[in-house]
Amino acid sequence: MARRLIIVGAGVTGLMTAKFLVDRGFSDILVIDRKYPGSGGSFRCATGVRASFTSREHIKVMLRAVDLWPKLSKELGIKYSRDGYLWLLTRDRDVEFFREAVKFQNSLGVPTRLVTPEEVRELAPTINTSSVVAAVYDPIAGKASCFDSVTNTLTHLLARGVEVKWGVEARKIAREGRGFVVETNIGSLRADSVLVAAGDGSRRLLETLGVDLPIRNLPKHALVTEAFRPVFKPLIIDWATSSYIVQLFNGNFYIGADIPEVYDTVAKVKLEFLRKAARVWTSYFPWLREVYVLRYWTGYYDMTPDHHPVIGPVEGLEGVYVAAGFSGHGFMMSPAVGEALASYILGERPLVPEFERLSPGRFARGELIKEIAVFG
Amino acid sequence: MRGYRIEEHPILKFRRGRVVKFRFNGVEVEGYEGESVLASLYALGYRVFSYSKTGRPRGAFCMIGKCSSCLARVNGVPNTRICIEPVRDGLVVETQSGLPEIPSETHGDVSEEEIEADAVVVGSGPAGLQAALTLAGHGLKVVLVEEHFKLGGQLVKQTHRFFGDTAYYGGVRGFRIGELLAEKVRASSNIKVLTSTRVYGFFAEGYLGAATVTGEPRHYLIKSKYTIVATGASERLALFENNDLPGVMGAGGAQTLMNEYGIRPGDRAVVVGSGNVGLIVAYQLLQAGVDVKAILELRDEIGGWFVHAAKIRRHGVPIKTRRTLLRVEGHDRVEKAVSVAVDGGYNPIPGTEEAYDVDLVLLAVGLQPSYALLGQMGAVVKHVPELGGLVPVRTWSMETSIPGVYVAGDLSGVEEATAAFLEGELAARSILEKEGLADGGRAEVLHYLWNVYRMSPVLERARRGKLSVTLSEGEMEELRRGAG
Ligand SMILES: Cc1cc2nc3c(=O)[nH]c(=O)nc-3n(C[C@H](O)[C@H](O)[C@H](O)COP(=O)(O)OP(=O)(O)OC[C@H]3O[C@@H](n4cnc5c(N)ncnc54)[C@H](O)[C@@H]3O)c2cc1C
Ligand SMILES: Cc1cc2nc3c(=O)[nH]c(=O)nc-3n(C[C@H](O)[C@H](O)[C@H](O)COP(=O)(O)OP(=O)(O)OC[C@H]3O[C@@H](n4cnc5c(N)ncnc54)[C@H](O)[C@@H]3O)c2cc1C
Ligand code: FES
């Protein structure tokens, strides 16, 4: 028995797509995950949501997501709050660059602005700004609970007859008649259409269909500390060291920081990360010196050459859709991505036309997305 | 407030340290040097040490830093586990309510030390102590790391005489064995001992990271050829209404209070679970002057050994099979416990409730291996119900799927202290053999462990469980290839 649609990957992307589809009356969906819902990037992410990017495509897509998050929050009870993003700048040349970025963002309707160290201290109480020359503030950015986003959406889907199976790994996809067969550890599954939303597993799976996408997995590191009462709202980025901190809804501080890494290698727990995370953030927030790290984990950014995702139907393989290569931004985008994929699968064009620029064929055509500068 | 210090005990003599004064919620209180902050407060009658996010009171549960029930603010630093925080003059201790405020004070810089050794032993229970002594006795340089401020693990609270072979301390009381081994460890020039220090993880750079949990902040990076992980086990909670009310305590928590610190954990108690731990703890409660109302056992039969059960019965304590705890009641501490009979499927039978006026409910419902560190290091683990939960797969030499990393004691599957000694020794002797320092002792220990000690019918379940996760060298090689 063939289903109408199999979604490979129960991360936010796969689940949101299923949600937009069932809400529009599409039925007979099976979602499979090799581990469990959320186990990929979705439960590992920093939960940041923003539209302040440096390409038209990212900004337009993210603005749609920023519109959708409060609606989803109300409907599904996902904790979401427009708590802002704050980029701390410690070098004059960075200020110059951000001045341009802010201008570009403002021209597309994103209300970012440069702020002084004094304003930084108001936005982030207890911060030591002695090294800060200026900062950029994005008031419509924010955060959403990644746990609610996965589990509440899952509950919504299960109540509407969507089947979700975990512990099921897709190993190969092949054409069979007018549909597809997905080979898994529990046998062959058949469907009219397949959506590959398998995060860091997407490239390898698509290769079995003869589709080669330039997605490479980059190891990333994150930690959370003990939980405290609310201290500051925005997600704060230290631009010069490429690291960030955010206080999550349940009170833990989540810290990420870049250390040198090699594409497509196994992510491992490194002292180097803890050292950097501690060095950067205890100098901004000295009280962090007395705070324990509760957990440290790794994950992958599924990176593309232009740092933009690959979304839409695979040209030449009718019935196969892909949503991967999010390059570290797939969580914030997921409502807009789910909405756009639902449109594609229902035979329509996406509401936000910029999605069409993110098609899988762009690499072969050499139509990579341009940014005013590489950022974030 | 009434005091809870035990003044007379049939077996134990409590040598209390110097009196120290500190503040608890603004009130000046006294304790004795050598005990934990929580022990001092408990002795004075305090039972609530923090409040949850939803305002529910939290008391003492495990007493060994494993359950996070006792988080309080100490000298401005929130979320301090006061059950493993040594009491000191001038401490300022405050109850936490919901999420704490961020730390208000910062203390000195963290100093860091790199240590190289032949072997690291994590955990100083019987398994870790025996392993460290065996290795050091043959000239290896050993670092022994223990998160508690005392060496000895769970031995410290065991007042009964051990059974079995005198080579493995048969006839000696548990805490005495702990003291003896700790003295030997301290006396060995080949063992560097780090107490109040937790091994928190392993890094790709090849280091074990360890950090002090109290006192002067220090960070250690330890590199060694061999690692023996002997982190023991922690107690399980049981499901019933209000199971978080202060006064509901792990059996081990109560043992710590009465046997280690000489503090009566309550006045009237119900014990849940009739395995050896439940029976022993009930007997120890009687010795400490607690009125034990009953022992409840879910199954048809008493779980522990006959000798222990008989002792309890002689004291007139009923052991009620096919009954479990339905709920406890009380405002900010246990005032009443309600038990209920169960049917063949362990479902409560309405109308069979019995209430007890008690201030203490002790849970002796099993232990689960503390596998977090080994799991993080990447050892292959397997769920084995007979052994209490997730345990590492190992060879007959106690080597895990990570070459050079060994396991011993309760972490390898919950048994009891004698097995822990034996496994610690076996792991150490296997390492010695690899290093060409063997004196033939390994085969003897292996034989004794499997063919003598574990042949006892009471260890049948554990034996079966351990067999199911013990591989030959060849099988382990295959597993490593598959996992890698
Ligand atoms: C440390 C870190 C911080 C991040 N911070 C942010 C942030 O602040 N904001 C933001 O927007 N994004 C962030 N991201 C990125 C974000 O997490 C991802 O882009 C997003 O979760 C992608 O969701 P997804 O559903 O596409 O993929 P995933 O959540 O990875 O889900 C893919 C699922 O597919 C399953 N799968 C893979 N292969 C197979 C197979 N062959 N068969 C069956 N199932 C398979 C996996 O088990 C997984 O559950 C961060 C990522 C990391 C690692
Ligand atoms: C409540 C209770 C009652 C018991 N009663 C009896 C009894 O009556 N008779 C009997 O024979 N057996 C009894 N046992 C069992 C027996 O004590 C254990 O089998 C034995 O102590 C196990 O020894 P071990 O060395 O494996 O672990 P433990 O004795 O538990 O020692 C482990 C040690 O490791 C330390 N540790 C853990 N993690 C870390 C880390 N990351 N870094 C540093 N240190 C760490 C712990 O603080 C602890 O001191 C009891 C056990 C418990 C818990
Ligand atoms: S952690 Fe202190 S009582 Fe458990």
Side-chain angles (χ1 to χ4, degrees):
Chain A
M1 184 202 71
R3 319 217 173 218
R4 266 177 93 188
L5 175 68
I6 291 178
I7 298 178
V8 183
V12 281
T13 305
L15 297 174
M16 288 285 178
T17 306
K19 182 211 169 324
F20 280 94
L21 280 169
V22 288
D23 288 355
R24 295 188 56 186
F26 187 103
S27 60
D28 200 17
I29 304 174
L30 168 66
V31 186
I32 60 171
D33 199 287
R34 67 180 167 199
K35 284 180 132 178
Y36 54 86
S39 61
S42 298
F43 277 174
R44 296 165 201 263
C45 78
T47 75
V49 175
R50 65 179 160 115
S52 32
F53 282 82
T54 49
S55 75
R56 183 185 171 80
E57 290 77 4
H58 258 154
I59 290 178
K60 287 295 184 183
V61 164
M62 299 296 186
L63 277 173
R64 178 64 188 157
V66 169
D67 271 351
L68 285 170
W69 273 110
K71 297 193 179 106
L72 279 172
S73 166
K74 234 196 200 141
E75 185 193 346
L76 300 178
I78 298 171
K79 283 187 277 306
Y80 163 77
S81 175
R82 291 209 176 145
D83 286 341
Y85 257 56
L86 193 59
W87 281 266
L88 304 177
L89 309 179
T90 50
R91 302 174 300 208
D92 291 333
R93 61 187 153 97
D94 296 336
V95 182
E96 285 321 301
F97 163 63
F98 271 86
R99 222 183 278 287
E100 290 306 306
V102 164
K103 229 187 272 169
F104 178 68
Q105 289 158 357
N106 292 170
S107 77
L108 289 170
V110 183
T112 42
R113 62 173 199 269
L114 275 160
V115 295
T116 61
E118 194 165 40
E119 284 170 279
V120 168
R121 289 194 294 275
E122 271 162 35
L123 288 163
T126 75
I127 197 169
N128 164 14
T129 52
S130 59
S131 62
V132 176
V133 291
V136 171
Y137 182 57
D138 176 351
I140 64 163
K143 60 195 174 220
S145 158
C146 64
F147 302 115
D148 293 352
S149 299
V150 169
T151 55
N152 297 13
T153 308
L154 191 62
T155 307
H156 180 88
L157 295 179
L158 294 176
R160 283 159 188 75
V162 173
E163 203 181 338
V164 183
K165 288 190 179 178
W166 53 86
V168 178
E169 182 178 29
R171 293 175 176 162
K172 184 175 190 281
I173 306 175
R175 208 180 238 307
E176 190 184 79
R178 309 186 70 190
F180 295 88
V181 54
V182 180
E183 305 292 353
T184 74
N185 51 315
I186 59 157
S188 308
L189 305 170
R190 294 181 166 74
D192 301 339
S193 308
V194 179
L195 165 63
V196 176
D200 60 60
S202 302
R203 180 180 191 167
R204 195 193 290 179
L205 189 57
L206 284 162
E207 275 169 3
T208 66
L209 268 168
V211 178
D212 186 22
L213 288 176
I215 300 173
R216 294 186 299 166
N217 299 323
L218 188 62
K220 288 283 165 178
H221 305 257
L223 65 81
V224 287
T225 68
E226 298 166 75
F228 295 97
R229 292 200 189 158
V231 180
F232 55 80
K233 289 184 161 200
L235 186 151
I236 304 173
I237 297 165
D238 182 46
W239 180 248
T241 61
S242 192
S243 46
Y244 55 90
I245 187 169
V246 57
Q247 188 172 18
L248 302 174
F249 288 108
N250 50 4
N252 311 85
F253 291 92
Y254 178 119
I255 297 178
D258 279 355
I259 55 172
E261 279 293 359
V262 181
Y263 283 107
D264 293 328
T265 53
V266 177
K268 288 191 175 143
V269 166
K270 292 182 178 167
L271 183 61
E272 190 181 0
F273 163 70
L274 281 189
R275 284 210 193 285
K276 177 165 176 183
R279 191 182 64 239
V280 173
W281 293 107
T282 56
S283 69
Y284 282 118
F285 296 102
W287 48 265
L288 272 175
R289 294 153 59 110
E290 297 297 331
V291 171
Y292 278 114
V293 173
L294 288 190
R295 287 183 292 283
Y296 164 10
W297 62 89
T298 58
Y300 298 98
Y301 276 10
D302 43 349
M303 303 295 294
T304 62
D306 59 11
H307 301 173
H308 281 63
V310 188
I311 294 166
V314 176
E315 287 94 334
L317 264 176
E318 204 181 322
V320 179
Y321 302 85
V322 58
F326 286 101
S327 304
H329 309 124
F331 177 72
M332 57 180 80
M333 230 188 272
S334 58
V337 171
E339 183 188 50
L341 283 167
S343 301
Y344 279 128
I345 291 165
L346 293 167
E348 303 162 5
R349 296 182 70 172
L351 187 72
V352 179
E354 278 72 14
F355 268 109
E356 296 182 55
R357 302 261 306 130
L358 304 176
S359 71
R362 74 176 187 273
F363 302 106
R365 291 194 299 271
E367 292 171 1
L368 270 60
I369 310 290
K370 289 192 185 62
E371 296 179 88
I372 63 162
V374 179
F375 173 103
Chain B
M1 257 181 210
R2 280 192 47 221
Y4 283 81
R5 300 271 174 198
I6 301 171
E7 301 305 340
E8 268 179 57
H9 192 283
I11 298 172
L12 301 168
K13 286 223 173 4
F14 300 105
R15 285 162 304 194
R16 297 194 167 109
R18 190 174 63 87
V19 171
V20 293
K21 291 186 196 307
F22 64 104
R23 299 187 84 77
F24 180 57
N25 291 336
V27 179
E28 190 177 78
V29 291
E30 287 182 358
Y32 295 102
E33 204 168 57
E35 62 190 16
S36 68
V37 170
L38 177 33
S40 302
L41 293 173
Y42 205 100
L44 293 167
Y46 293 104
R47 293 294 177 268
V48 179
F49 305 104
S50 68
Y51 291 87
S52 77
K53 276 197 224 181
T54 52
R56 296 178 70 87
R58 290 279 180 267
F61 181 80
C62 74
M63 294 297 295
I64 51 169
K66 304 258 186 195
C67 74
S68 305
S69 186
C70 67
L71 301 180
R73 200 176 185 90
V74 176
N75 285 353
V77 177
N79 292 346
T80 305
R81 289 178 169 73
I82 55 171
C83 66
I84 52 170
E85 182 73 22
V87 71
R88 305 186 289 286
D89 267 321
L91 282 186
V92 177
V93 181
E94 296 156 286
T95 303
Q96 279 181 199
S97 212
L99 285 180
E101 302 284 354
I102 53 172
S104 49
E105 287 171 45
T106 57
H107 301 278
D109 277 339
V110 181
S111 59
E112 191 170 277
E113 187 182 338
E114 271 195 44
I115 304 175
E116 283 211 32
D118 296 316
V120 189
V121 177
V122 187
S124 75
L129 289 172
Q130 186 79 8
L133 285 169
T134 307
L135 292 170
H138 288 75
L140 294 195
K141 294 275 175 218
V142 180
V143 184
L144 175 64
V145 194
E146 168 55 56
E147 72 180 314
H148 203 280
F149 55 85
K150 263 194 202 166
L151 296 177
Q154 312 315 315
L155 282 177
V156 174
K157 51 188 152 218
Q158 292 170 30
T159 53
H160 62 288
R161 287 180 211 280
F162 275 52
F163 298 112
D165 202 304
T166 46
Y168 294 100
Y169 317 104
V172 186
R173 297 188 193 276
F175 69 95
R176 243 335 261 159
I177 305 172
E179 286 168 5
L180 283 171
L181 294 181
E183 276 162 34
K184 282 197 201 166
V185 160
R186 297 259 183 216
S188 167
S189 57
N190 284 336
I191 306 178
K192 183 178 172 85
V193 180
L194 305 175
T195 47
S196 289
T197 305
R198 175 182 296 137
V199 176
Y200 65 81
F202 179 75
F203 293 107
E205 288 93 338
Y207 293 107
L208 277 176
T212 47
V213 294
T214 177
E216 203 190 314
R218 282 182 77 74
H219 186 221
Y220 300 95
L221 291 171
I222 310 172
K223 227 173 210 168
S224 71
K225 193 164 171 189
Y226 299 101
T227 305
I228 298 179
V229 186
T231 49
S234 62
E235 300 193 83
R236 289 180 190 282
L237 187 61
L239 273 184
F240 54 85
E241 196 178 324
N242 288 331
N243 64 0
D244 60 343
L245 206 57
V248 175
M249 200 185 282
Q255 283 187 318
T256 302
L257 278 171
M258 57 193 176
N259 301 344
E260 210 179 324
Y261 298 123
I263 295 165
R264 206 157 20 85
D267 293 317
R268 295 168 310 278
V270 164
V271 175
V272 183
S274 73
N276 275 331
V277 172
L279 297 176
I280 290 171
V281 88
Y283 188 66
Q284 293 173 347
L285 284 170
L286 295 170
Q287 290 176 322
V290 180
D291 178 7
V292 182
K293 299 287 187 193
I295 299 179
L296 307 177
E297 170 58 55
L298 191 63
R299 295 180 217 247
D300 292 336
E301 286 161 32
I302 294 168
W305 298 357
F306 176 75
V307 276
H308 293 315
K311 262 203 289 197
I312 294 295
R313 286 227 174 90
R314 274 201 299 279
H315 280 78
V317 176
I319 304 178
K320 303 201 165 191
T321 52
R322 280 227 176 186
R323 286 194 82 83
T324 189
L325 207 61
L326 188 63
R327 64 171 183 275
V328 296
E329 296 171 13
H331 167 60
D332 66 355
R333 63 184 65 190
V334 173
E335 288 161 20
K336 190 197 232 182
V338 180
S339 80
V340 70
V342 295
D343 63 21
Y346 301 130
N347 304 306
I349 303 170
T352 61
E353 291 84 355
E354 284 175 10
Y356 303 94
D357 284 324
V358 291
D359 59 349
L360 189 63
V361 168
L362 289 193
L363 303 182
V365 292
L367 304 172
Q368 51 196 1
S370 303
Y371 72 95
L373 176 63
L374 259 189
Q376 187 271 329
M377 292 172 82
V380 175
V381 293
K382 205 172 148 186
H383 192 267
V384 184
E386 291 94 332
L387 300 179
L390 285 170
V391 294
V393 172
R394 82 300 303 264
T395 65
W396 295 97
S397 300
M398 304 308 294
E399 191 174 16
T400 67
S401 62
I402 312 168
V405 177
Y406 292 71
V407 61
D410 277 357
L411 168 61
S412 93
V414 174
E415 268 180 291
E416 32 105 74
T418 307
F421 286 120
L422 287 163
E423 289 190 342
E425 180 150 355
L426 180 57
R429 289 195 179 272
S430 302
I431 290 172
L432 292 171
E433 204 159 85
K434 277 203 180 166
E435 289 294 293
L437 296 169
D439 53 12
R442 179 180 172 276
E444 251 167 67
V445 179
L446 190 63
H447 169 76
Y448 182 76
L449 176 62
W450 284 98
N451 301 331
V452 181
Y453 177 73
R454 279 193 185 133
M455 293 310 281
S456 153
V458 288
L459 294 176
E460 168 58 26
R461 250 171 78 82
R463 185 175 201 273
R464 217 176 334 121
K466 293 226 161 162
L467 271 176
S468 74
V469 281
T470 305
L471 307 184
S472 69
E473 296 291 335
E475 288 167 330
M476 183 58 90
E477 268 318 304
E478 214 167 288
L479 179 76
R480 284 176 187 149
R481 272 198 301 276

